[in-house]
């Protein structure tokens, strides 16, 4: 080892993304057209046509830097969520928002609390800043908020909560989060990561942006990568009161959200028909996958997102056999779930192709 790097950087295990279609095609000599990728919780409808058109129009201005303050997108988000524009932080994906929180608020040696089996980026953000992770055991594969509140230490600066959670698909109801916010000291920032919020059924929804008014230590994180269908453009946002937003802005790269992403996000936000279709196709696909798992005698975790965690036993072997059949899902051994696979909801034909391949892989 000739290069100097901090120990906390050397200890990082890089993020394992879902296998790209092109990579599977190369490695197994398959044609890309026949491959089904249900590995990264992407929107099976692809990007909205409205966003594609807005993006194409924005191409003309690519010689210039993006709007560093994202005026138009913040104005649209401000109207949508009923918060002032200066409560909004734009991110290069919501991953960026999670990292900004760690960089702005946590020093090396201080602690960050998150749940076992929650989103991998929480561990990465913690390690990047040399912080100490307090990983709270899950309860029924979901967040145990009373235990998380009890785990907050004097040096805890940040808590990450994914709701719904990835990769387990579990959900914590509004009342439990409100009770948690009431218990956590006002000096500890709570990041409520709601990447899958748009997939919640109407009866499970709540106005978390309104909680930001009451809690100066709350940061809501949302994304355009899932229900809005813009994963490849990288755009997400945070909502928090001005003091916290100002801190995030200090460590943000000035041009962290590119012009095409800003234009596409404004259009996608206005495209309620696309969002509704995304919601409906997801509900149908979730019902189909979950009832098929039940019929096959496989345990699954009832999901509130656009993916399902299913227990298959030898997950590494099943994953490999699915790859050979041209179906990419997500192994989750890295999340401490070596017997499970996570499968994203696809189009009806993709779901059927996956189920057929799964029956073959288990036979
Ligand atoms: C997919 C996901 C995100 C979104 O990541 P982006 O950077 O916005 O693409 C954030 N949090 C969780 C829990 C996710 O699963």
């Amino acid at each position: 080892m000739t290069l100097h790097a901090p120990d906390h950087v050397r200890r990082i295990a890089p993020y394992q993304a879902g296998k790209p279609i092109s990579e599977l095609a190369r490695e197994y000599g398959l044609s890309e057209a026949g491959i089904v990728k249900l590995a990264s919780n992407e929107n099976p409808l692809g990007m909205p046509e409205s966003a594609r058109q807005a993006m194409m129009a924005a191409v003309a201005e690519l010689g210039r830097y993006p709007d560093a303050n994202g005026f138009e997108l913040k104005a649209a988000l401000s109207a949508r969520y009923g918060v002032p524009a200066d409560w909004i932080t734009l991110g290069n994906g919501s991953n960026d928002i999670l990292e900004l929180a760690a960089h702005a608020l946590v020093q090396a040696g201080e602690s960050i609390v998150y749940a076992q089996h929650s989103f991998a980026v929480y561990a990465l953000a913690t390690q990047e800043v040399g912080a100490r992770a307090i990983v709270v055991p899950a309860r029924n594969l979901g967040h145990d908020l009373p235990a998380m509140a009890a785990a907050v230490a004097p040096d805890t600066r940040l808590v990450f909560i994914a709701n719904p959670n990835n990769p387990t698909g579990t959900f914590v109801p509004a009342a439990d989060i409100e009770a948690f916010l009431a218990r956590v000291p006002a000096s500890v920032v709570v990041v409520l990561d709601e990447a899958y919020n748009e997939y919640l059924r109407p009866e499970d929804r709540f106005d978390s942006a309104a909680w930001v008014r009451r809690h100066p230590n709350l940061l809501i994180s949302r994304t355009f990568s899932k229900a809005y269908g813009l994963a490849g453009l990288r755009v997400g946002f945070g909502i928090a009161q001005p003091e916290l937003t100002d801190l995030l802005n200090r460590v943000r790269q000035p041009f962290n959200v590119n012009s095409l992403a800003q234009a596409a996000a404004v259009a996608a936000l206005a495209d309620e028909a696309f969002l509704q279709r995304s919601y409906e196709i997801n509900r149908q696909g979730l019902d189909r996958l979950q009832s098929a798992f039940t019929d096959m005698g496989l345990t699954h975790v009832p999901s509130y997102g656009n993916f399902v965690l299913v227990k298959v036993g030898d997950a590494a072997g099943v994953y490999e056999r699915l790859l050979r059949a041209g179906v990419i899902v997500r192994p989750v051994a890295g999340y401490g779930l070596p017997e499970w696979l996570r499968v994203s909801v696809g189009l009806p034909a993709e779901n059927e192709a996956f189920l057929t391949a799964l029956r073959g892989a288990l036979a």
Side-chain angles (χ1 to χ4, degrees):
M1 214 54 81
T2 55
L3 298 177
H4 290 282
D7 287 345
H8 67 262
V9 172
R10 294 235 180 254
R11 278 196 293 268
I12 292 175
Y15 183 77
Q16 301 267 331
K19 186 183 272 297
I21 289 174
S22 54
E23 188 178 302
L24 178 62
R26 264 196 318 275
E27 290 177 355
Y28 289 69
L30 301 173
S31 101
E32 290 195 15
I35 292 173
V36 171
K37 182 186 176 204
L38 301 174
S40 300
N41 299 347
E42 294 147 340
N43 192 322
L45 295 171
M47 81 185 292
E49 181 57 29
S50 55
R52 182 193 307 275
Q53 284 174 16
M55 199 177 82
M56 293 317 278
V59 163
E61 290 299 318
L62 279 181
R64 300 196 185 281
Y65 279 100
D67 177 352
N69 290 314
F71 177 84
E72 252 200 283
L73 179 52
K74 283 188 189 174
L77 290 167
S78 160
R80 165 65 61 95
Y81 291 103
V83 296
D86 67 352
W87 289 30
I88 296 169
T89 305
L90 301 182
N92 184 29
S94 60
N95 277 249
D96 193 18
I97 301 293
L98 307 175
E99 290 194 350
L100 292 179
H103 285 275
L105 300 165
V106 190
Q107 284 188 37
E110 295 175 335
S111 66
I112 298 180
V113 171
Y114 53 87
Q116 179 191 23
H117 312 311
S118 66
F119 191 37
V121 169
Y122 308 154
L124 286 172
T126 301
Q127 288 177 298
E128 270 170 41
V129 298
R132 181 167 61 90
I134 299 180
V135 184
V136 178
R139 197 178 41 173
N140 298 328
L141 295 173
H143 287 69
D144 182 346
L145 289 185
M148 289 178 73
V152 168
D155 70 355
T156 298
R157 300 289 172 259
L158 203 55
V159 180
F160 285 116
I161 298 172
N163 200 38
N165 185 44
N166 172 18
T168 60
T170 53
F171 176 71
V172 185
D176 296 14
I177 297 199
E178 290 192 282
F180 178 81
L181 290 170
R183 256 185 89 178
V184 168
S187 59
V188 175
V189 168
V190 176
V191 179
L192 189 56
D193 176 354
E194 300 186 320
Y196 302 96
N197 176 273
E198 295 81 5
Y199 292 114
L200 292 177
R201 290 169 303 188
E203 63 267 33
D204 294 321
R205 293 193 190 152
F206 47 87
D207 186 6
S208 53
W211 295 345
V212 175
R213 287 179 205 290
R214 296 205 297 277
H215 297 284
N217 60 328
L218 177 61
L219 169 62
I220 303 288
S221 169
R222 296 280 187 97
T223 183
F224 283 92
S225 297
K226 308 283 160 62
Y228 287 103
L230 300 179
L233 279 172
R234 316 302 305 126
V235 51
F237 60 97
I239 302 176
Q241 287 193 24
E243 185 189 350
L244 177 47
T245 300
D246 172 63
L247 289 169
L248 302 179
N249 195 43
R250 287 165 195 254
V251 297
R252 180 178 68 83
Q253 280 185 46
F255 304 106
N256 62 335
V257 183
N258 70 72
S259 337
L260 299 184
Q262 291 188 33
V266 169
L269 194 64
D271 194 339
E272 285 172 21
F274 180 85
L275 196 63
Q276 184 62 27
R277 244 186 316 137
S278 300
Y279 172 83
E280 281 163 11
I281 200 154
N282 186 63
R283 292 259 40 115
Q284 290 164 11
L286 264 188
D287 288 348
R288 172 67 183 132
L289 291 177
Q290 297 188 130
S291 61
F293 294 149
T294 303
D295 291 346
M296 293 165 77
L298 298 174
T299 301
H300 72 272
V301 181
S303 176
Y304 289 78
N306 66 346
F307 55 88
V308 188
L309 189 70
V310 59
K311 193 170 189 178
V312 296
D314 171 25
V318 174
Y319 171 68
E320 187 60 34
R321 292 194 283 282
L322 288 173
L323 287 181
R324 290 184 191 286
V327 177
I328 313 171
V329 297
R330 190 65 155 271
V332 284
Y335 287 86
L337 299 163
E339 297 188 318
W340 302 72
L341 291 173
R342 191 195 70 191
V343 57
S344 308
V345 174
L347 297 172
E350 295 174 319
N351 299 332
E352 297 313 317
F354 158 70
L355 289 169
T356 302
L358 181 63
R359 284 189 202 94
L362 291 170

